Amino acid sequence: MASKLNPNVLYVTEPGETLRSPQADSERTAGEAGEESSDSDGEQEETSHKLIRKVSTSGQIRAKKSVKEGILLKQTSSFQRWKRRYFKLRGRTLYYAKDCKSLIFDEVDLSDASVAETSTKNINNSFTVITPFRKLMLCAESRKEMEDWIGALKSVQKWETYEASQFNMEHFSGMHNWYACSHARPTFCNVCRDALPGVTSHGLSCEVCKFKAHKRCAVRSTNNCKWTTLASIGNDIIEDEEGVSMPHQWLEGNLPVSAKCVVCDKTCGSVRRLQDWRCLWCKAIVHSSCKEQMGKVCPLGQCRVSIIPPTALNSIDSDGFWKATSASCSSPLLVLVNSKSGDNQGVKFLRKFKQLLNPAQVFDLMNGGPELGLRLFQKFVTFRILVCGGDGSVGWVLSELDKLNLHKQCQLGVLPLGTGNDLARVLGWGGLCDDDAQLLQILEKLERATTKMLDRWSVMTYEVLYLFVSQVHITQYADSVASHLAKILDSDKHSDVISSAKYVVPAGSVPSQESGGSSPGESGGESGSEGKTYRSKEQLMLRANSLKKALRQIIEQAEKGKTKTSRAESQRVHDSQCSEKCVMNNYFGIGLDAKISLEFNNKRDEHPKKCSSRTKNMMWYGVLGTKELVQKTYKNLEQRVQLECDGVPMSLPSLQGLAVLNIPSYAGGINFWGGTKEDNNFGAPSFDDKKLEVVAVFGSMQMAMSRVINLQHHRIAQCRQVKITILGEEGVPVQVDGEAWIQPPGIVKIIHKNRAQMLTRDRAFESTLKSWEDKRKIDSYRTTRPRLNSQQSMEYLTEEECTQVQQLGIVADMLINK
């Protein structure tokens, strides 16, 4: 046995233990004798082998190439406590210790390991590393970090180099994405074909293809997950004269309770064993004996319009774009899901979309953002986008479309998972979708949706820099000029006026005397001394008055020139210096509502768990709004801001805030404009008319009442451009689509930027199709009514089917008689 041990590895055993296997590794951290029992793994599989601890020194680890490293939480066996450990992934070995400077690292061999998420919802971002000898439960800080670790651990199993910045769909093609789950009905392992435990969550399920396995069997499962590209199909590909066709991809057993064979229409599946088959694409279910009678080409099922078949994706070119070669991809669907939206409900939707569509067309916004998916779809002539998240997620995607200049070739739909979901309400998709079982119907409605243009607006800002200079730093010359100018205008002593004028006005520019008499120096002789004195006083008075008059004329001319030119010049200067702060899709707010949004964002950043659900978020908004009923922080805001609509200054009443609306839904469904129809003063509000609606915010009570009453007395204007000037020396809170900040004194302008194509639910078209489908059913009933009415034919139907036929007949007869 000793000859099999690696001399470069340190093996540690407890007193009385013997070395059984160098591959076995128990979970205890080196140098922590007091914590060895609490840090050992409590979920070890039942085995006859005595597990030992296998460790390496930091010097030995340093010699190996690093794949990934960082801090994770590891669950211990005692009371399932979590402890921080520093992990290093080197080759096919995972090392961990108390911190990165530790000398001794425990190691886990990943040669026959599998990785799975620990639950369906997985709020705490935990995952499990499963080896033949142990299970290691770990927890990451965020879902993105968890997925990075899972990707790295999967990559080393195939001896591939892991690069988080690169994306290659072939990288994980065919590999299952495991998560631990329980089963409410008898379920069987697709590897060993034995039954899975029901309640203890020891079974694993692939989130894409629903492949089932024991934790001990996961490492032996074949890489036959749902196909993504043409290369992943392999030998099952169908080639004929017309080209390449999409085959069925079958998975055995674990069928729904009421499953029926599409060939013989008899019950499929069993609760006693693994039997019969299900296609992962068209969802067709067949008996093993009927499988050969099925056509070889897969029709892709109800979602065929939205699915990108793997046969259409040959490869990714050098620029990182997909090369699509199938005519069926005329308008493919790109799904972008925010996994954190809706109290982490996005994780469920992410998995469900991968089951319904090609996994290659579904992306998590929290793992790389929207840029990756948009770049891969960039070569398609037209494509559709479904954003699953809140208004912030939609704005994020629209901003990326601006950068890539893709607005002309894509249409965007919204699946509401956030808190407010104002844009989704306006587009007809509702205020909230929390049931992933409805996704098939949502995809059908998305295929029947119409396109409308959404106006998007640039929020331009110009900040005024105030220089506060104390009297100490004012120069003596400036002080002197100010005092001399005051003397010229206010002094009654003509001599003081003249002396001050000599100081202020340059030589030769002092106005001449208005009298026609000679100057004092022109008279001569002593006999004229009295006359000379008199004439000098008179000339002094005339000269001082002329100086005052000239100075007042200069001031009046400066004021007139200022009124004529300063506005236009300052307007040109400010317009040239304004820069785009952000883009507005829904609404803009300044004052009260912006302060509430800012406080909520700060609260969410400080305590994420307190704002982890839609209900909690709405509660916090209510608490912060109620607090403003007493505080009234921005009372008399009209004294601190000036409003211009289309260049016309607006007179503001006493208010606490202003709201500029692009869509007729505000703060979670409020029609803040107070109506949807035109009247004598204003037109009907719309998000595609290149106009904005400006309303006043008088207080929290008014905002609350607007949820139940259509208030209209707070309307200010309907315009194409808005300019707000913030006065004073302090900033004012501002929010755009729920994202708030403090805007310093200066200018805020809202001007039209561009338009985006949005998918809007068309209920009239849906009802037309429904009526057409009902008519088709009635026509089918009329042609088959004699046969169905005969007692002989009814014998072949079940009791439930007989009832349905009779009900359909009654309805059809009523419609036919009409």
Side-chain angles (χ1 to χ4, degrees):
M1 186 68 183
S3 61
K4 295 183 179 180
L5 297 177
N6 189 344
N8 296 323
V9 177
L10 174 64
Y11 297 95
V12 182
T13 62
E14 292 184 354
E17 291 183 348
T18 58
L19 296 180
R20 299 297 181 98
S21 171
Q23 294 179 352
D25 36 47
S26 144
E27 183 184 344
R28 292 179 185 172
T29 304
E32 295 180 75
E35 297 183 359
E36 286 182 354
S37 61
S38 64
D39 202 26
S40 61
D41 187 24
E43 294 187 34
Q44 296 174 352
E45 296 286 343
E46 294 181 2
T47 176
S48 59
H49 297 286
K50 179 66 176 179
L51 302 182
I52 65 171
R53 179 173 164 221
K54 184 177 176 183
V55 298
S56 297
T57 63
S58 58
Q60 294 168 342
I61 298 173
R62 198 177 300 117
K64 300 181 180 180
K65 184 180 179 181
S66 173
V67 178
K68 186 174 178 60
E69 59 183 71
I71 295 177
L72 294 171
L73 296 178
K74 186 179 73 64
Q75 191 180 69
T76 65
S77 61
S78 58
F79 306 105
Q80 295 186 342
R81 293 183 299 170
W82 293 91
K83 292 187 177 181
R84 290 170 61 89
R85 294 291 180 262
Y86 193 85
F87 286 80
K88 294 183 178 182
L89 183 59
R90 302 286 193 273
R92 282 191 171 183
T93 307
L94 181 65
Y95 302 90
Y96 66 92
K98 188 174 182 180
D99 53 52
C100 60
K101 298 180 180 179
S102 298
L103 298 178
I104 303 296
F105 280 75
D106 284 65
E107 62 178 77
V108 180
D109 186 13
L110 301 176
S111 299
D112 295 318
S114 59
V115 189
E117 292 190 45
T118 54
S119 65
T120 304
K121 200 171 181 180
N122 200 6
I123 298 177
N124 62 347
N125 306 311
S126 58
F127 60 100
T128 306
V129 180
I130 307 167
T131 70
F133 299 97
R134 69 187 307 173
K135 293 189 294 292
L136 198 67
M137 187 172 290
L138 308 174
C139 179
E141 290 187 359
S142 64
R143 181 166 184 85
K144 183 181 184 304
E145 184 181 0
M146 180 198 69
E147 291 180 349
D148 287 345
W149 272 104
I150 292 177
L153 292 168
K154 285 184 177 180
S155 68
V156 298
Q157 296 174 34
K158 299 180 67 174
W159 290 101
E160 297 175 354
T161 303
Y162 174 76
E163 296 182 11
S165 60
Q166 267 190 345
F167 177 83
N168 186 359
M169 187 52 64
E170 301 294 333
H171 189 74
F172 299 128
S173 182
M175 298 186 69
H176 296 288
N177 298 315
W178 302 111
Y179 68 94
C181 63
S182 302
H183 303 94
R185 59 186 300 265
T187 307
F188 299 88
C189 176
N190 286 98
V191 179
C192 68
R193 308 181 72 87
D194 292 337
L196 289 170
V199 185
T200 55
S201 295
H202 277 198
L204 297 181
S205 177
C206 177
E207 67 177 15
V208 178
C209 67
K210 292 293 185 180
F211 190 97
K212 308 292 183 179
H214 293 99
K215 290 185 178 180
R216 63 177 181 270
C217 298
V219 295
R220 296 186 285 114
S221 64
T222 56
N223 291 333
N224 59 348
C225 193
K226 201 171 184 180
W227 300 323
T228 53
T229 61
L230 182 64
S232 64
I233 300 177
N235 297 329
D236 295 328
I237 194 169
I238 301 175
E239 292 186 88
D240 51 22
E241 296 178 355
E242 298 179 358
V244 178
S245 301
M246 175 70 184
H248 290 282
Q249 186 177 5
W250 299 106
L251 181 66
E252 187 179 10
N254 298 318
L255 303 179
V257 177
S258 58
K260 288 190 176 182
C261 178
V262 297
V263 177
C264 65
D265 200 26
K266 293 182 179 179
T267 303
C268 281
S270 173
V271 295
R272 298 179 179 179
R273 65 185 68 87
L274 198 70
Q275 71 176 36
D276 299 332
W277 301 85
R278 169 175 58 93
C279 179
L280 299 179
W281 295 93
C282 65
K283 311 304 178 186
I285 298 174
V286 295
H287 293 108
S288 299
S289 58
C290 300
K291 188 178 175 183
E292 296 298 327
Q293 302 179 37
M294 280 286 295
K296 293 184 178 180
V297 179
C298 180
L300 298 178
Q302 291 178 284
C303 304
R304 58 185 176 274
V305 176
S306 300
I307 290 177
I308 303 178
T311 53
L313 301 178
N314 279 343
S315 62
I316 300 175
D317 60 17
S318 58
D319 295 331
F321 307 129
W322 268 334
K323 294 179 179 178
T325 58
S326 175
S328 62
C329 292
S330 58
S331 182
L333 179 66
L334 168 63
V335 181
L336 302 173
V337 183
N338 188 339
S339 58
K340 293 181 65 177
S341 293
D343 192 15
N344 288 307
Q345 293 286 336
V347 177
K348 292 197 309 181
F349 287 85
L350 191 67
R351 290 177 178 148
K352 190 66 175 180
F353 275 117
K354 288 181 180 180
Q355 295 168 16
L356 295 174
L357 307 173
N358 189 334
Q361 61 188 108
V362 183
F363 296 87
D364 186 1
L365 289 175
M366 293 293 100
N367 189 14
E371 182 181 3
L372 178 59
L374 293 175
R375 282 184 58 84
L376 289 171
F377 274 68
Q378 196 166 353
K379 285 292 182 68
F380 288 99
V381 178
T382 58
F383 63 95
R384 295 170 296 143
I385 302 174
L386 179 61
V387 180
C388 307
D391 293 334
S393 301
V394 178
W396 189 6
V397 175
L398 288 173
S399 298
E400 289 296 329
L401 290 176
D402 287 334
K403 295 179 183 178
L404 299 175
N405 194 23
L406 296 177
H407 281 294
K408 292 183 179 180
Q409 64 191 83
C410 69
Q411 300 88 36
L412 190 142
V414 184
L415 184 65
L417 298 181
T419 302
N421 304 315
D422 290 292
L423 186 57
R425 297 172 192 269
V426 173
L427 297 176
W429 302 110
L432 181 65
C433 179
D434 55 359
D435 186 7
D436 59 340
Q438 301 177 0
L439 291 189
L440 188 60
Q441 291 78 14
I442 291 174
L443 289 176
E444 292 179 354
K445 294 173 182 177
L446 198 70
E447 294 168 1
R448 302 169 182 175
T450 58
T451 303
K452 286 189 177 182
M453 305 303 295
L454 173 69
D455 294 324
R456 304 180 67 238
W457 304 80
S458 293
V459 179
M460 315 290 290
T461 60
Y462 169 75
E463 300 175 4
V464 178
L465 300 178
Y466 285 92
L467 300 178
F468 299 98
V469 184
S470 64
Q471 290 288 48
V472 178
H473 298 92
I474 297 178
T475 60
Q476 294 182 354
Y477 178 75
D479 260 340
S480 301
V481 170
S483 62
H484 284 297
L485 286 174
K487 285 183 180 181
I488 294 175
L489 293 175
D490 301 332
S491 178
D492 293 334
K493 296 182 179 180
H494 305 308
S495 58
D496 292 343
V497 174
I498 296 297
S499 61
S500 296
K502 289 180 179 180
Y503 184 87
V504 175
V505 185
S509 61
V510 177
S512 60
Q513 56 187 1
E514 293 182 358
S515 64
S518 60
S519 62
E522 291 177 356
S523 60
E526 294 180 359
S527 59
S529 60
E530 293 181 5
K532 177 181 178 182
T533 302
Y534 174 76
R535 286 195 302 270
S536 297
K537 289 181 180 180
E538 183 180 1
Q539 291 172 356
L540 187 63
M541 180 183 65
L542 292 174
R543 194 171 185 181
N545 290 336
S546 64
L547 283 171
K548 290 183 179 181
K549 183 177 180 180
L551 186 58
R552 288 192 176 96
Q553 289 177 352
I554 292 173
I555 294 174
E556 290 177 0
Q557 289 176 0
E559 291 293 335
K560 290 180 181 179
K562 181 179 180 181
T563 56
K564 291 181 180 180
T565 62
S566 63
R567 285 186 179 178
E569 291 181 358
S570 63
Q571 180 73 20
R572 287 194 297 269
V573 171
H574 291 164
D575 288 348
S576 63
Q577 294 179 349
C578 282
S579 59
E580 185 178 86
K581 179 77 173 182
C582 60
V583 179
M584 182 189 79
N585 301 307
N586 299 352
Y587 42 74
F588 168 92
I590 181 172
L592 174 62
D593 66 321
K595 189 201 175 203
I596 295 175
S597 297
L598 182 62
E599 289 184 346
F600 172 76
N601 292 341
N602 294 336
K603 179 75 68 176
R604 182 169 54 184
D605 294 340
E606 294 174 2
H607 307 285
K609 292 184 179 180
K610 293 184 178 180
C611 306
S612 59
S613 68
R614 185 175 184 269
T615 304
K616 292 180 180 178
N617 294 345
M618 298 300 290
M619 181 193 70
W620 277 112
Y621 273 115
V623 170
L624 296 174
T626 304
K627 188 170 67 173
E628 282 299 317
L629 284 174
V630 180
Q631 293 182 349
K632 296 183 179 180
T633 310
Y634 290 94
K635 184 180 179 180
N636 299 326
L637 182 68
E638 75 282 355
Q639 300 176 6
R640 299 181 57 181
V641 299
Q642 294 177 351
L643 173 67
E644 292 184 16
C645 297
D646 291 337
V648 179
M650 308 300 294
S651 177
L652 297 178
S654 178
L655 48 80
Q656 296 187 49
L658 289 170
V660 182
L661 310 176
N662 182 44
I663 62 175
S665 180
Y666 178 80
I670 301 176
N671 187 350
F672 211 31
W673 180 247
T676 57
K677 299 180 180 179
E678 63 178 343
D679 54 25
N680 296 331
N681 299 321
F682 303 102
S686 177
F687 55 79
D688 60 351
D689 58 357
K690 295 185 179 181
K691 290 183 180 181
L692 296 168
E693 287 75 38
V694 185
V695 296
V697 180
F698 297 121
S700 300
M701 186 60 68
Q702 173 215 4
M703 297 178 67
M705 292 177 61
S706 298
R707 291 188 177 273
V708 293
I709 303 175
N710 285 336
L711 302 177
Q712 299 182 359
H713 68 280
H714 59 298
R715 294 179 178 180
I716 295 179
Q718 201 173 35
C719 57
R720 299 182 182 274
Q721 182 174 315
V722 174
K723 177 182 176 182
I724 298 174
T725 304
I726 302 175
L727 308 175
E729 301 173 356
E730 295 182 0
V732 178
V734 163
Q735 65 99 359
V736 175
D737 297 345
E739 299 297 326
W741 69 91
I742 297 294
Q743 180 63 34
I747 294 175
V748 179
K749 290 184 63 178
I750 304 176
I751 59 176
H752 193 267
K753 178 181 177 69
N754 57 22
R755 309 180 87 185
Q757 301 182 67
M758 307 299 294
L759 292 173
T760 307
R761 184 178 177 184
D762 193 340
R763 297 181 184 272
F765 182 56
E766 290 176 10
S767 61
T768 302
L769 287 178
K770 186 177 180 181
S771 301
W772 179 80
E773 291 174 356
D774 291 341
K775 183 178 181 300
R776 187 178 61 179
K777 291 180 181 179
I778 293 171
D779 292 339
S780 176
Y781 166 77
R782 294 180 67 176
T783 57
T784 60
R785 182 168 49 178
R787 180 178 63 84
L788 291 177
N789 283 337
S790 64
Q791 187 65 26
Q792 183 179 4
S793 298
M794 296 289 283
E795 292 178 355
Y796 294 98
L797 301 178
T798 63
E799 183 179 353
E800 182 181 358
E801 289 173 338
C802 289
T803 304
Q804 293 177 354
V805 168
Q806 292 172 358
Q807 292 176 350
L808 179 61
I810 295 172
V811 174
D813 287 335
M814 291 174 60
L815 294 174
I816 292 170
N817 293 333
K818 289 182 179 181

